[in-house]
Amino acid sequence: ACGGTHVARTGEIGLIHGLKTERLKRGTRVHFLTGGRARADYADKHAIVTRLATALTCSASEVPAAFERVQAELAAVRRDLARHEEAALDREAATLADRAAKTGGRVVVQFLPGRTIDALKGLAFRLTTEPGRVALLATTGERTQFVFARSDDSTANLKPALDQALTAIGGGKGGGTRVVQGGGAAAAPADVERALELARAAVEG
């Protein structure tokens, strides 16, 4: 810890703060700070612990337990949110299916701006649990994304439909079988709607 200066006494080094050790093939690497750097490190960590204790309304020694409690609460909130999101997708899929049934169509076409690709997949899977159903879904944001799906018993070939949609927005390749997806750069809503209609024509044709 003297840094090769061969001090006469350890007091010349000052504070020695061991940070961590690493096992190596031929020994152990020791990470440490000394002198002013060690004091600055202690000061920084003390400030961090103080801020955390203030935010968590507890003493410094209670910070670890309080942090674990917050993590557990956050995990519970995320589970609740996931359940609500799943239920919302169930309701949305039922609404879209009912709307398609009233028009006598087997193809559900829906443009959902601002939705995540996971939400589109969730809706597509739900919609195609019914026999003979095809779902053609799209969203826009930073990118335009398509998710097309068919029921297990459907013989619809979704690849040509996806190719038509991607070509309409200048997008790249997509892939899949029962569920196909692909996308491209952000496109205008009118272009996405046109892409979906081309995909519908490819499926129905």
Side-chain angles (χ1 to χ4, degrees):
C2 69
T5 54
H6 305 295
V7 296
R9 56 186 61 84
T10 55
E12 295 179 46
I13 301 172
L15 184 65
I16 301 175
H17 177 25
L19 299 176
K20 65 177 182 178
T21 60
E22 291 180 73
R23 286 190 175 183
L24 303 177
K25 288 183 179 179
R26 297 184 178 179
T28 302
R29 175 178 293 145
V30 181
H31 296 258
F32 64 91
L33 297 172
T34 64
R37 290 180 179 176
R39 288 193 297 274
D41 185 69
Y42 272 123
D44 289 343
K45 289 174 179 174
H46 176 71
I48 291 170
V49 171
T50 300
R51 288 199 299 271
L52 286 172
T54 300
L56 296 169
T57 60
C58 64
S59 66
S61 63
E62 295 171 331
V63 165
F67 182 70
E68 290 177 0
R69 185 173 63 252
V70 169
Q71 282 186 309
E73 292 172 354
L74 179 59
V77 169
R78 285 175 173 167
R79 287 193 295 271
D80 286 342
L81 178 60
R83 283 195 292 269
H84 285 298
E85 289 175 342
E86 292 293 313
L89 286 176
D90 289 341
R91 292 191 296 271
E92 187 173 6
T95 299
L96 293 175
D98 288 344
R99 191 180 302 162
K102 289 177 181 177
T103 60
R106 68 185 181 89
V107 181
V108 177
V109 181
Q110 192 68 32
F111 175 35
L112 302 163
R115 302 294 288 276
T116 65
I117 192 70
D118 286 338
L120 257 62
K121 288 179 181 178
L123 283 172
F125 279 116
R126 285 167 171 79
L127 286 167
T128 54
T129 56
E130 293 290 329
R133 174 92 40 80
V134 173
L136 306 176
L137 309 178
T139 187
T140 54
E142 293 182 359
R143 288 174 53 80
T144 299
Q145 300 276 1
F146 297 103
V147 175
F148 298 168
R150 61 173 175 79
S151 302
D152 287 329
D153 68 327
S154 173
T155 59
N157 186 356
L158 299 178
K159 187 65 169 64
L162 182 62
D163 289 342
Q164 289 275 11
L166 292 174
T167 300
I169 64 164
K173 295 180 180 180
T177 51
R178 193 180 81 78
V179 179
V180 300
Q181 68 179 81
D191 292 334
V192 180
E193 295 277 11
R194 177 173 172 272
L196 285 173
E197 287 307 314
L198 289 171
R200 182 207 293 268
V203 169
E204 294 179 340

